[in-house]
Structure formats: C-alpha cells, structure tokens
C-alpha cells in the first residue's frame, strides 16, 4: 500500500513505558482560566480610543485581561519578564489595567534582547565542561542554534532547555558561548533569558546580534550541566524562483480593499480566466452589516433607559422615535401611545402630580406596549433601574449608528443586510484530484494586509499562468481556494466606522452589555469559534465575555462564517493545506494552539514527522518572504502557537488539522523588521501606511513579501501532491553487539513519522510513535540496557510508507525494518 490518508485523533499519545527504555516526557502546567466579567467600562466613542504599550506577567494575566473584555493587539511578544503588546483602550481603561497589575509602558520602553556579553552566571565553567553526560541523562539540551542575516546584520538565535529549569530557589540560570568560526575557541559569554509561561518553565532563549557567523555554541547551566551544538542557517538567501523570470508579473494591488472590492475582483478574475478559475459561493450568509437602532435616554444613572428597535435600522428602526412625556395631573398610571413610528411613554404621576415611573417600569412598558416597534428595553448596564425617569425635551430618534462614518472612511455606502461570501477557486484541474490549498484571510476585521496579500497571490497566478513555467506548475498541480475576506461585516465596520474592529458584528450580548456605548465591542472572534480545543471545553484563550476581543460565541460554530469553513473542507475533501492569514505579529505557527490552563495540557502535539514537515515548509515559505526586502520571521516566532505565543482556544487551524488531517498554518504577517539605522527591530500595525517606509512599515511592502510566501506554500502543496517516493529510515547505531548500555535514536531521509515496537510484535499504525525528546526538540534517545529488537516503519507527510509495507494486514514478507541491539552480559 503506497499511500495512506492519516487522521490525527484528539487522544493522548501512547505512553512509552518499559524497563529497557528511558525517554523524556512533556513539560507541565499553566494559568488560571478566564472568568466572565461584564461590568467593566467600555469605549464610549471611537475618538477616545488609543493604543498603549503594556507588559503582563504571563499567560495567566493575559487570560484575565482578555476575559475582562480588553482588546489586545495581535502584536503580542514573549519577553523574559512576561508578555508585551498593545491594548486598544480609553483613558479610564488604562486605570483599570493598572489596577489589575498590568504595567503600562512608555512608547520607547519595550523590551529588546541584549546583544552585549556580560559577566556570566557564577559557575566554574572550566570544571563544568570536564565531563559531558550521555544524552539520556543530560541536564542541558540545545533545541535550536540558528544563524541568519538581515539588512547586513547577523543574528544568532539560541534555544536551550535544562531538566532543572522549573527549580525556583535558586532559579537555574543558563549561559551561552559561541566560537567565531571553525576551530576557534568558545567565548563571548552571555546570560540567557528564562522563558516561563505562567509559572511553568518552558526553556531558555535569546536572540544575539553578531558580526561573524559562529559554527558551534556551548551552553552551561548554573547547576553544572554543559553541552555543545552546531549552528545551522535559518532561511535561505536564494532569489524567489517565482520571480526569476524577467517577464514575471507582480505588484497588482494598489491599496487596501474593502470586502465589496475584494469580492468584485474575485468574480472578475473568474470571468476573465474561466479555463483556470471559478467562483464557489459559501452557503451560510453572514449576519450582515446591519444593526438594530438604539437610543439611551436619561444618562447613565439609575433613571437611564436603553431602547433597541425590533427592526434593523435600515429596515425601519432608524425611523422610530421615543419620547418620555410629563403629565400635570396627579395619580396617573403609566401609559404608552404609538402613532406610526412615534412611541410616547406617558409617565405615571404621584399624588403631587410629579413623575413617578422608574426606569425598570418604563423599560417593561416599552417592551410590552410599543406595538412591536421596540425589541429590547432595559436599565443601563447593571443598574437596578430604581431611579425616577425624567421627561425628555421631545422625541428622541433611534439610530443604528452605521451612518456615522469614521474619518478617512472610503467613499460610498456599504450594502446592508447579510452577505454571501464568494470563494475564488483557481486551478487547471478542479476535479478534486489535485491537492487543495485554502487561503483564508481577514477573520479579524481590522487586519487589512492579509486581504491584499491574498489578492496579490491570486493575481499572480492568473497573470503568469501562460508565461511563467513555475506558475504553470502550480496552477496545473494544485486546486486553490481563496477566501479574500472571511469577515465582510466586521471588515466593513473597520473600514467605515471603527478602524480597530476585530470581530464580526453579531451582538450576542445580554442587556448589561447591549447599550450603544458598547457597540464597538460586540461580535464574535471567529478564530475562537471552532470545535477542537475550544473555550467551551475548558481550553484557555477564548472568552465568555461578549465584549471581550476573544469572545468565543455562545457555542461552537455558532457563526455562519465558521460554519462555512467546515462546509468547504467537507465538500472539497482534496483540501490538504490551509493558511489562515492574520496580522501583525510576524509569526508562522501551527499546532498545538491551545491548552487547558490547569496543568498546561495542550491539544495533542503533532507526530514528530508532521512537526518536521511543518518546520521544513516554514523555512521554504519564510525564505521567500525574506527574498523581497530581507524581512526575517525569527525562529522564536515559529512553531506551535501555544508554545511561542499563547493559548488560543477554538482556533480554525486545530479543527482542520485534528478533524480532517489538513496541514493548517496560522500566519501573522507584518511584525518586526530590523532597522539598520537604529540597530533595533521595529514593529508594524494592522493598517500601516500603504506607501510608508518601504524598508520598514509599509502595507505595500508587506503585501508583496508575504505574497511571495503564499506562492511558495502553493509549491509546497504541489510537491506534496507529486511525492510518490517512499521514505527511508535507520536506527543509529544499528544492529550490533555492545559491551554495555547504549543510546539509540531513529533518523529519517525526510520528514516522516515512525511507528515501532520493542516487544517482538509486528508494528502497526497503533504502535507507539517515535516522539521528540521534548517539544521543539529533535527525536528522543532510547537508553537500551538489555538486548532489544526494534521493529518499525516510517510514513512521510504525503502518506508514502517505507518499503511499500502495509501495516493494516499481515503478509509473508513482513517487510518492515528491524534491528537488534545486543548488550553483552557481564
């Protein structure tokens, strides 16, 4: 059987237990889960909102801040003292953040990795280096040692782990040294930064600025452990293969595009190039760029009443008026009069003829006696509504606020009502036989660059198909699906009303959060609305607070936008690759993306073969990004998103990978770019100036460079589809007799998963999988203490099985691999 299609079950991996094998296990725990709070203040109007730099102590504080409803930017980054990023807040909310223990930074107070040598960590380095423990008992391991250059400057990134890293008294320190080329001594001692996620040790890591490429590093712990490692190159410096042709066409997108422009162009591409393109319409319409009309009468005190129309604003809600009327006579009951769209509340009076209706009573009357015009009426937020309502000066008009355009909004009106999302499908053979690639942009409304990046990639495919050989290979060997904006309602709101809108426009909020001042915080975070590792199942990173930036929705797949993705991958089962394009963190990541806070239990880690395939693909994709203007996404920002950043419960990537076996990437385009003039890294934004500094922050430059990366992802998929070559593997060292215990490991010719046995049984797909020593590390090392026979086979990412072995049935050949480690008896 040459090809098998594997599905990764959401189950714990088999434990490796036995007297002859010793292997390392995963690391421990994380933060307290989020709580649902709805009483904190919200931005009252968009003009008062601003960005502030913040520092949090760790993921536990991040969860609490997000759960409280604060809107944090995507540009979060790990620093030795916790997590830094930006928050979209009002002045009042800055005070609330400070009260929660969040440190508000000055604009120039962000963390920067030290690139200076320092005095070390107080260990006897010479003595510590005298003996290096064997691998199975090493206290220090190097996970990564990467060298790269950008804008003429060299950098060394080191990631190492000590088995004693969780020790807190005293805290175990790590020191790294590097040589200056082959044959030179170690030197330039630097103290590494300890990466702790909510009290749990992850590893030590640093990014160092160097002028000379080292070949080896040496890492020493304060407890005496020491190890050395070889420095590898991170990313290639080769020119993009897709732009090597002088006639290659690019640079099609001339500015940011709102959803109507994106969808119109997608349909025009399908019309212009019918032989290679078509439109697929998603079945679930969005809830729409529309809102109920509202008015808030009587301020914010106990006498305040919030009124919401039954009809959408554009369908009559905006025509409704409400008036609270005083009457001169005594002891009159509360009454409501409705004439057309005018609602008059005749306030009750007491014995002295003064108004006597409370806010609660008026709200009840409006709900029940407004002839169906008023859908919701209630006291303001968490008020009891015990205050006596005052008469209004006259009729108060309800409004949906959608005509209140922000400064700089595009010309024209936005179509109201539900939207049907078109998918632009490009491929010469759209019959389900070629590997499908799904590019999903703009889940988050304010992220404008992902949409232009995706459109630029589509334009390159159709314009270069007939003139460029590499593009022709892509179009003829893949089946590509572009969702140029998966959140058109929220995106329109970002373009026209509130630039910082993140979520869709669906208002699931209860009365306490449903007044007009909360309108910029309504909606569901579509990338928290999926079924695997969701907040509904106890995973961290999704909020139950409807005004939180990461509100997960009332249930899994509650939103039409997320239902559409599931419909698409189920209807087109040839989709094997997916890229969810976001901004602006400068990261490329995959699974695991979420964890249960208590014990830091992640969703299952991909098999070592899949992990290696992700890393290999990432290096290809990011090398093409670098080729445009030397932008480097650093290794610390690549990998499992819950390991390099934070837990994001219910994200789309994990649903597609674990449920359907799709290689699903998440991409935060933009992020930090090295500035040689200042010698530091400068971050971007969700909506950078389109023609900003082309070497630093520029929407145009980001669009072009990340389109390079998407094009390379298509080549990865095309190569995967044509891969019919079996992997090979070996046990190192192999068959043989040994005088004493020996350390052994597996090695493969390409990214592949190994299934093995040591009990004499035939290996199958249910056998233990060869795993990493620890997450973000190479394969485990087995310490063999008595004679043992290993039986195994390997399966590559495309499903090819070594030696054409069929693990599903027995046959006489039994052509799996075997090796016997014979330990001589003393």
């Amino acid at each position: 059987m040459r090809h098998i299609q594997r599905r990764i079950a959401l189950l714990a991996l088999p434990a490796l237990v036995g007297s002859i094998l010793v292997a390392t296990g995963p690391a421990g725990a994380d933060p307290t889960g989020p709580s649902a709070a709805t009483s904190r203040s919200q931005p009252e109007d968009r003009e008062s909102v601003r960005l502030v730099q913040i520092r949090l102590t760790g993921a536990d504080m991040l969860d609490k801040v997000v759960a409280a409803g604060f809107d944090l930017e995507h540009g979060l980054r790990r620093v030795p003292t916790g997590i830094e990023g930006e928050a979209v807040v009002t002045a009042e909310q800055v005070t609330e953040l400070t009260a929660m223990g969040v440190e508000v930074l000055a604009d120039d107070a962000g963390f920067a990795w030290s690139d200076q040598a320092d005095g070390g960590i107080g260990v006897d380095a010479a003595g510590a280096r005298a003996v290096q423990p064997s691998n199975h008992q090493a206290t220090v391991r190097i996970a990564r040692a990467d060298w790269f250059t950008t804008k003429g400057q060299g950098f060394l990134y080191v990631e190492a782990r000590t088995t004693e890293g969780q020790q807190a008294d005293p805290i175990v320190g790590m020191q790294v040294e590097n040589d200056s080329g082959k044959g030179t001594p170690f030197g330039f001692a630097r103290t590494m930064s300890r990466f702790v996620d909510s009290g749990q040790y992850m590893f030590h890591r640093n990014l160092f600025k160097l002028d000379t490429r080292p070949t080896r590093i040496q890492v020493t712990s304060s407890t005496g452990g020491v190890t050395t490692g070889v420095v590898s190159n991170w990313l290639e410096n080769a020119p993009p293969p897709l732009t090597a042709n002088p006639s290659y066409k690019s640079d099609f997108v001339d500015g940011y595009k709102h959803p109507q422009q994106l969808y119109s162009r997608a349909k025009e591409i399908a019309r212009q190039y019918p032989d290679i393109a078509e439109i697929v319409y998603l079945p679930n319409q969005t809830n729409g760029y529309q809102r109920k009309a509202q008015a808030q009468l009587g301020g914010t005190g106990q006498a305040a009443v919030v009124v919401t129309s039954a009809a959408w604003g554009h369908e009559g809600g905006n025509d409704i008026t409400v008036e609270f009327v005083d009457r001169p006579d005594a002891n009159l009951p509360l009454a409501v009069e409705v004439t057309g769209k005018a609602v008059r509340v005749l306030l009750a009076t007491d014995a002295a003829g003064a108004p006597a209706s409370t806010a609660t009573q008026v709200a009840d009357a409006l709900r029940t006696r407004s002839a169906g015009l008023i859908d919701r009426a209630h006291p303001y937020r968490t008020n009891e509504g015990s205050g006596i309502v005052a008469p209004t000066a006259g009729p108060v008009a309800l409004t949906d606020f959608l005509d209140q355009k922000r400064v700089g909004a595009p010309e024209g009106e936005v179509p109201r009502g539900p939207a049907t999302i078109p998918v632009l499908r490009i491929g010469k053979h759209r019959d389900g036989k070629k590997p499908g690639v799904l590019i999903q942009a703009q889940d988050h409304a304010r992220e404008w660059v992902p949409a232009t990046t995706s459109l630029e990639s589509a334009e390159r495919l159709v314009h270069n198909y007939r003139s460029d050989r590499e593009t022709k290979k892509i179009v003829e060997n893949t089946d590509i699906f572009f969702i140029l904006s998966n959140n058109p309602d929220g995106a329109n709101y970002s373009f026209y009303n509130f630039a910082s809108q993140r979520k869709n426009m669906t208002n699931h909020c209860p009365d306490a959060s449903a007044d007009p001042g909360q309108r910029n915080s309504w909606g569901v975070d579509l990338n928290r609305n999926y079924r695997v590792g969701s907040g509904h199942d106890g995973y961290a990173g999704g909020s139950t607070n409807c005004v939180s930036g990461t509100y997960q929705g009332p249930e899994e797949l509650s939103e039409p936008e997320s239902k559409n993705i599931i419909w698409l991958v189920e209807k087109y089962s040839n989709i094997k690759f997916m890229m969810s394009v976001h901004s602006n963190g400068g990261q490329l990541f995959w699974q695991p993306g979420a964890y249960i806070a208590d014990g830091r239990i992640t969703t299952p880690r991909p098999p070592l073969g899949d992990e290696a395939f992700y890393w290999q693909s990432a290096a290809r994709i990011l090398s093409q990004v670098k080729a445009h203007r030397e932008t480097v996404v650093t290794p610390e920002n690549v990998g499992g998103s819950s390991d390099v950043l934070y837990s994001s419960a219910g994200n789309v990537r994990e649903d597609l990978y674990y449920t359907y076996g799709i290689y699903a990437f998440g991409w935060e385009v933009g992020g930090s770019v090295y500035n040689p003039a200042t010698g530091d890294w400068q971050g971007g934004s969700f909506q950078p100036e389109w023609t900003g500094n082309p070497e630093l922050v520029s929407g145009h430059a980001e669009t072009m460079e990340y389109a390079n990366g998407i094009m390379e992802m298509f080549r990865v998929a095309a190569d995967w589809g044509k891969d019919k070559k079996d992997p090979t593997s070996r046990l190192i060292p192999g068959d043989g007799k040994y005088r004493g215990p020996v350390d052994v490991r597996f090695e493969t010719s390409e990214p592949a998963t190994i299934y093995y046995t040591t009990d004499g049984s035939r290996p199958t797909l249910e056998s233990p999988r060869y795993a990493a020593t620890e997450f973000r590390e190479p394969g485990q090392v087995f310490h063999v203490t008595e004679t043992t026979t290993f039986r195994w086979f390997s399966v590559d990412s495309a499903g090819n099985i070594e030696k054409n072995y069929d693990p599903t049935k027995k046959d006489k050949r039994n052509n799996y691999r075997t090796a016997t480690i014979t330990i001589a008896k003393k």
Side-chain angles (χ1 to χ4, degrees):
M1 183 176 70
R2 293 196 55 82
H3 249 39
I4 62 169
Q5 298 301 322
R6 290 171 297 139
R7 294 291 182 266
I8 310 301
L10 191 56
L11 300 170
L13 301 183
L16 306 180
V17 186
S19 62
I20 60 169
L21 304 178
V22 178
T24 57
D30 191 66
T32 334
S35 61
T38 59
S39 59
R40 53 167 293 277
S41 67
Q42 294 295 322
E44 294 297 334
D45 59 78
R46 52 188 174 271
E47 284 72 29
S48 67
V49 173
R50 61 192 177 95
L51 293 179
V52 296
Q53 302 287 327
I54 61 171
R55 180 182 295 149
L56 307 101
T57 56
D60 52 350
M61 181 178 285
L62 174 64
D63 283 346
K64 293 173 184 176
V65 170
V66 169
F70 285 95
D71 186 7
L72 299 188
E73 297 278 90
H74 256 320
L76 296 173
R77 56 195 175 279
R78 288 285 186 178
V79 299
T81 52
I83 299 173
E84 288 187 0
E86 294 177 324
V88 182
V89 290
T90 63
E92 181 182 358
Q93 290 168 348
V94 170
T95 302
E96 294 179 35
L97 283 171
T98 303
M100 294 177 72
V102 176
E103 184 180 358
V104 178
L105 307 172
D107 289 342
D108 58 352
F111 174 80
W113 291 114
S114 169
D115 57 9
Q116 302 299 318
D118 58 35
I121 52 179
V123 301
D124 181 355
R129 296 184 196 122
V131 177
Q132 168 64 30
S134 59
N135 288 344
H136 67 279
Q137 53 188 202
T139 59
V140 177
R141 299 190 303 273
I142 296 171
R144 301 195 66 85
D146 294 305
W147 167 261
F148 65 86
T149 61
T150 177
K151 309 294 179 65
Q153 178 61 57
F155 287 89
L156 173 66
Y157 174 71
V158 178
E159 200 171 281
R161 184 179 276 113
T162 168
T163 57
E164 299 171 336
Q166 189 63 29
Q167 179 178 316
D169 189 20
I171 293 175
V172 176
M174 299 268 273
Q175 180 175 282
V176 62
E177 298 174 86
N178 59 270
D179 64 17
S180 298
K182 189 174 182 179
T184 59
F186 291 116
F188 316 102
R190 294 171 169 85
T191 298
M192 296 184 69
S193 298
R194 184 168 175 258
F195 176 17
V196 177
D197 187 3
S198 302
Q200 295 301 313
Y201 172 71
M202 304 289 281
F203 38 75
H204 283 71
R205 67 179 182 183
N206 274 86
L207 182 67
F208 300 111
K209 189 186 297 183
L210 294 176
D211 293 329
T212 303
R213 187 196 189 285
T215 59
R216 297 181 65 81
I217 63 166
Q218 181 168 261
V219 177
T220 309
S221 80
S222 57
T223 56
V226 62
T227 192
T228 61
V230 176
V231 177
S232 301
N233 288 328
W234 173 243
L235 308 186
E236 299 176 2
N237 291 315
L242 291 166
T243 58
N245 180 352
S247 64
Y248 185 83
K249 302 178 186 69
S250 63
D251 203 355
F252 295 98
V253 182
D254 58 2
Y256 292 121
K257 307 295 181 186
H258 55 65
Q260 292 72 247
Q261 294 169 318
L262 295 169
Y263 296 167
S264 175
R265 181 56 191 149
K267 295 171 187 176
E268 181 64 12
I269 287 173
R271 188 193 67 78
Q272 289 179 300
Y273 304 92
D275 57 328
I276 60 170
E278 64 180 295
I279 295 293
V280 174
Y281 289 99
L282 296 177
N284 300 291
Q285 285 193 314
T286 69
N287 289 304
Y289 178 80
Q290 57 188 7
R291 283 203 169 144
K292 302 296 180 70
Q294 291 188 305
Q296 184 172 314
L297 299 89
T300 60
Q302 289 292 339
V305 178
V306 178
V307 181
T308 304
S309 66
W312 298 108
H314 67 286
E315 293 180 345
N318 289 336
D319 301 326
I320 298 171
T321 62
V322 172
E323 182 180 7
F324 296 163
V325 181
D326 187 14
R327 293 184 287 174
D329 296 329
N331 298 317
L332 294 175
L334 178 64
V336 177
E337 293 180 349
V338 179
T339 305
K341 295 293 183 68
V343 180
R344 300 177 78 238
V345 178
L346 307 179
L347 299 174
T349 60
D350 61 16
S357 298
T358 67
T360 296
Q361 291 169 338
V362 170
D364 289 343
L366 282 167
R367 283 197 307 273
T368 58
R369 299 187 232 171
S370 64
L373 294 177
I374 302 302
D375 180 45
R376 297 170 72 170
H378 51 84
Y380 177 76
R381 299 199 180 176
T382 56
N383 290 350
E384 294 178 358
S386 57
I388 300 300
V389 171
T392 58
V396 177
L398 275 61
T399 175
D400 62 10
F401 296 97
L402 294 180
D403 289 330
Q404 296 183 11
K405 300 298 176 61
R406 69 175 182 85
V407 175
E411 296 282 337
E413 295 298 320
V414 184
R416 302 294 175 88
T420 298
I421 299 176
V423 181
L424 175 59
R425 185 182 188 186
I426 297 177
K428 180 63 176 176
H429 308 288
R430 303 184 302 281
D431 54 5
K433 296 180 180 178
K434 299 295 182 181
V437 184
L438 171 58
I439 304 297
Q440 176 209 48
Q442 211 170 37
D443 248 2
H444 294 148
R446 62 193 175 199
E447 298 166 9
W448 295 358
V449 175
T452 55
T453 298
S454 302
L455 178 59
E456 171 70 19
S457 303
E459 298 280 11
R460 292 185 187 184
L461 289 174
V462 296
H463 283 91
N464 292 292
Y465 169 61
R466 289 177 176 79
S467 59
D468 180 72
R469 183 174 60 181
E470 291 294 329
T471 304
K472 190 177 184 68
K473 289 179 182 178
I474 290 173
V475 174
E476 295 192 346
N477 290 286
T478 59
D479 189 1
I480 300 166
F481 299 80
F482 286 98
I483 301 178
L484 298 176
S485 176
N486 194 47
N487 182 5
D489 303 341
N492 276 319
Y493 196 68
S494 176
F495 271 94
Y496 287 90
N497 302 97
F498 178 60
S500 292
Q501 177 75 7
R502 169 182 167 92
K503 303 178 287 182
N504 69 6
M505 289 182 63
T506 310
N507 181 8
H508 291 292
C509 283
D511 292 348
S513 298
D515 57 87
Q518 306 268 41
R519 66 187 183 278
N520 292 335
S521 298
W522 296 332
V524 173
D525 182 344
L526 299 177
N527 203 34
R528 299 295 186 276
N529 193 232
Y530 290 85
R531 302 166 297 180
V532 175
S534 80
H536 300 279
D537 294 327
Y539 285 80
S543 177
T544 58
N545 181 357
C546 68
V547 293
S548 166
T550 57
Y551 176 52
Q552 62 197 13
E555 60 187 20
E556 295 167 352
L557 296 184
S558 62
E559 305 308 293
E561 297 91 342
S562 52
K563 290 176 182 173
N564 279 333
I565 300 301
I566 301 305
W567 176 88
L568 190 68
V569 299
E570 289 185 347
K571 180 175 178 62
Y572 300 99
S573 58
N574 63 317
I575 294 177
K576 301 300 179 186
F577 292 84
M578 186 264 192
M579 180 79 81
S580 182
V581 191
H582 293 259
S583 68
N584 64 335
Q587 291 123 3
L588 181 59
F589 42 68
W590 47 85
Q591 304 75 38
Y595 52 71
I596 296 173
D598 185 10
R600 201 179 186 280
I601 303 169
T602 69
T603 49
R605 295 186 178 277
L608 187 59
D610 279 7
E611 180 84 5
F613 181 70
Y614 271 125
W615 276 103
Q616 181 188 76
S617 302
R620 290 180 58 175
I621 292 166
L622 296 176
S623 291
Q624 296 309 310
V625 173
K626 181 182 179 183
H628 181 72
R629 55 168 185 165
E630 293 195 72
T631 294
V632 172
V633 175
T634 59
E636 69 189 288
N637 287 317
V638 179
S641 63
S642 65
D643 299 331
V644 301
L645 195 56
Y646 51 76
S647 177
S648 52
N651 67 77
V652 64
R653 305 181 310 275
E654 299 204 285
D655 203 327
L656 298 198
Y657 177 75
Y658 293 119
T659 308
Y660 304 101
I662 295 169
Y663 288 107
F665 294 80
W667 204 356
E668 293 274 351
V669 305
S672 296
V673 179
Y674 180 69
N675 184 353
T678 61
D680 58 14
W681 294 78
Q682 295 189 356
S685 66
F686 293 124
Q687 299 142 21
E689 286 187 41
W690 181 255
T691 55
N693 186 332
E695 293 302 316
L696 295 174
V697 180
S698 164
H700 175 260
E702 290 179 7
T703 294
M704 295 305 117
E705 66 191 353
Y706 285 100
N708 279 1
I710 289 179
M711 297 297 289
E712 185 64 20
M713 184 177 179
F714 299 152
R715 297 180 75 230
V716 168
D719 291 345
W720 180 91
K722 293 185 291 184
D723 181 8
K724 300 297 185 290
K725 183 178 179 181
D726 294 346
T728 61
S729 61
R730 58 177 180 154
L731 191 70
I732 301 175
D735 280 308
K737 295 183 179 180
Y738 301 89
R739 295 180 178 274
V742 62
D743 292 341
V744 301
R745 60 184 174 83
F746 287 109
E747 184 179 89
T748 59
S749 60
E750 61 176 295
T753 297
I754 289 176
Y755 297 83
Y756 70 95
T757 65
T758 57
D759 60 1
S761 64
R762 179 176 174 275
T764 69
L765 293 171
E766 278 67 52
S767 299
R769 286 196 297 246
Y770 183 53
T773 302
E774 182 59 282
F775 65 92
R776 296 176 67 82
E777 289 191 28
Q780 63 199 122
V781 175
F782 301 114
H783 186 57
V784 182
T785 60
E786 60 183 60
T787 298
T788 303
T789 296
F790 287 82
R791 293 176 170 85
W792 77 92
F793 64 93
S794 61
V795 186
D796 69 14
S797 60
N800 299 305
I801 302 181
E802 187 171 10
K803 298 180 68 175
N804 203 27
Y805 173 61
D806 187 346
T808 64
K809 60 184 180 181
K810 292 183 179 180
D811 60 32
K812 295 181 179 180
R813 293 181 302 165
N814 279 333
N815 55 333
Y816 47 75
R817 300 295 310 280
T818 182
T820 299
I821 306 297
T822 302
I823 306 298
K825 295 184 178 180
K826 295 183 180 179

